[in-house]
Amino acid sequence: MTAKCPAVFGISGQALTVDEISFLKDANPVGIILFARNVDTPDQVKRLNDQIKNILGSEAHILVDQEGGRVQRLTPPHWAQFPAAETFGPVWQENPAKAAEDVKKHYELIGNDLAALGFTVDCAPVLDLRFDWAHDVIGERSFSEDPACVADLGRAACEGLLAAGITPVIKHIPGHGRALVDSHHDLPEVDASKEELAQTDFAPFKDFAKSEVAHHVWAMTAHVVYKDIDPDHPATCSSRMIQTVIRKEIGFSGLLIADDLDMKALRGSYREKLERCFAAGCDLILQCDGDLSKMQEVAGASPAFSSAKLNL
């Protein structure tokens, strides 16, 4: 089946409504992303994911944010509480090989949980650097402030997810760590020079992009303005950031999905946001809040899409 809508949508509850079923059949999006509001028990999640695939086809993608730590949609008592990424950074400083093996096992366990429920994509790991003076929207979600550590453990995390049959999504390319505000609520603007960013924030993504595993993952954009490169647009909507920095200088060639269109960092109507995202070079977009009227608006404004892009 060829996807007609280059979007991944959130849904409202723990089962599809009649109106959502009708919408999904008509719009035929690339996939669905689940949040805590969609999760109760393993049997319920499996039924929901089966229902989604029955409508969209077996090739449809079902995403979730299952990082561990405070960003984990599947939680106790039905699922294990996994540690945050920051747990592994100090181990890497003492023994990089042990830390990488621990991370690979950790993410393979996460992937096994997801695969058993019918998920296909995990929006993890975070390859952003940790800056203690920045906003804590990243914080413990980062492996380290050390670019080499983040790249190494990011590779290991992706290897673990892939071993379980789950596609990883590295985020938030080209780096959200030094943002002083949360892009869910405000537009972060980073003043650091391009040279400094290349040595720090961009470095884990560039190192990761050289690895074999990079050919099998997606990446999620950062809704962040890098003023020395493009002072007028966040990376998600900047052809300069995507085509020059992400694609050429960092070297990431996989599928690029824009972070949620409903985040306050992006301005304008859905049509304006979509036009900017796709013109800049994003392959897919996220619209997450489960509001059917918004999904309909996004689907109506979206360009045609070939599912061949899913195999970049």
Side-chain angles (χ1 to χ4, degrees):
M1 184 186 297
T2 299
K4 292 185 294 185
C5 181
V8 173
F9 291 113
I11 55 174
S12 60
Q14 295 177 1
L16 295 174
T17 67
V18 172
D19 288 339
E20 286 172 338
I21 291 170
S22 177
F23 167 76
L24 293 179
K25 287 179 177 178
D26 181 58
N28 193 18
V30 165
I32 297 296
I33 183 168
L34 300 191
F35 291 90
R37 66 178 181 265
N38 309 120
V39 171
D40 184 14
T41 66
D43 286 346
Q44 171 267 322
V45 174
K46 183 66 165 59
R47 283 195 305 272
L48 175 56
N49 287 346
D50 287 345
Q51 186 183 23
I52 291 166
K53 290 187 179 181
N54 285 338
I55 295 168
L56 296 180
S58 60
E59 74 280 11
H61 286 287
I62 305 179
L63 290 68
V64 68
D65 293 283
Q66 192 75 350
E67 298 174 13
R70 59 185 159 94
V71 179
Q72 182 171 326
R73 311 307 185 197
L74 310 174
T75 58
H78 298 294
W79 296 277
Q81 178 62 54
F82 290 97
E86 71 171 2
T87 305
F88 302 100
V91 180
W92 186 91
Q93 297 295 335
E94 297 295 326
N95 188 333
K98 181 183 186 303
E101 184 60 27
D102 288 349
V103 167
K104 182 177 178 180
K105 290 178 181 177
H106 163 80
Y107 278 87
E108 187 170 358
L109 289 172
I110 289 177
N112 288 337
D113 281 350
L114 299 185
L117 297 168
F119 290 99
T120 65
V121 178
D122 187 9
C123 297
V126 169
L127 267 63
D128 304 314
L129 297 185
R130 180 166 189 168
F131 295 92
D132 288 339
W133 44 262
H135 193 284
D136 65 0
V137 63
I138 300 302
E140 66 170 13
R141 301 166 65 194
S142 171
F143 289 111
S144 176
E145 71 281 356
D146 185 330
C149 172
V150 173
D152 193 22
L153 297 186
R155 278 191 297 271
C158 290
E159 288 170 357
L161 289 170
L162 288 165
I166 297 296
T167 298
V169 183
I170 58 171
K171 57 190 187 184
H172 306 81
I173 199 167
H176 200 301
R178 69 172 67 229
L180 297 178
V181 297
D182 182 350
S183 55
H184 291 86
H185 306 295
D186 298 287
L187 176 62
E189 295 186 348
V190 167
D191 291 323
S193 69
K194 183 177 180 181
E195 290 74 19
E196 182 180 359
L197 291 167
Q199 295 297 316
T200 54
D201 303 55
F202 301 171
F205 294 97
K206 184 173 183 176
D207 192 352
F208 178 89
K210 297 173 184 176
S211 65
E212 175 59 32
V213 74
H215 300 294
H216 306 286
V217 311
W218 299 2
M220 184 182 294
T221 60
H223 294 340
V224 176
V225 169
Y226 305 87
K227 294 171 71 173
D228 192 41
I229 303 170
D230 185 344
D232 300 317
H233 305 96
T236 302
C237 303
S238 169
S239 59
R240 197 176 308 162
M241 289 300 306
I242 291 177
Q243 303 301 337
T244 301
V245 175
I246 293 174
R247 294 302 194 191
K248 293 182 181 178
E249 295 175 7
I250 288 175
F252 181 76
S253 60
L255 186 140
L256 194 63
I257 184 167
D259 206 347
D260 187 7
L261 294 190
D262 286 321
M263 292 165 67
K264 304 304 182 187
L266 299 187
R267 309 284 194 256
S269 68
Y270 281 122
R271 183 174 294 278
E272 291 167 335
K273 293 175 186 179
L274 288 164
E275 288 176 351
R276 290 194 291 264
C277 288
F278 290 123
C282 293
D283 298 307
L284 298 177
I285 61 90
L286 279 170
Q287 195 278 315
C288 296
D289 75 354
D291 184 316
L292 183 59
S293 64
K294 294 179 182 177
M295 289 189 268
Q296 291 167 332
E297 185 178 351
V298 168
S302 293
F305 176 83
S306 170
S307 58
K309 280 192 174 184
L310 294 171
N311 300 311
L312 284 174

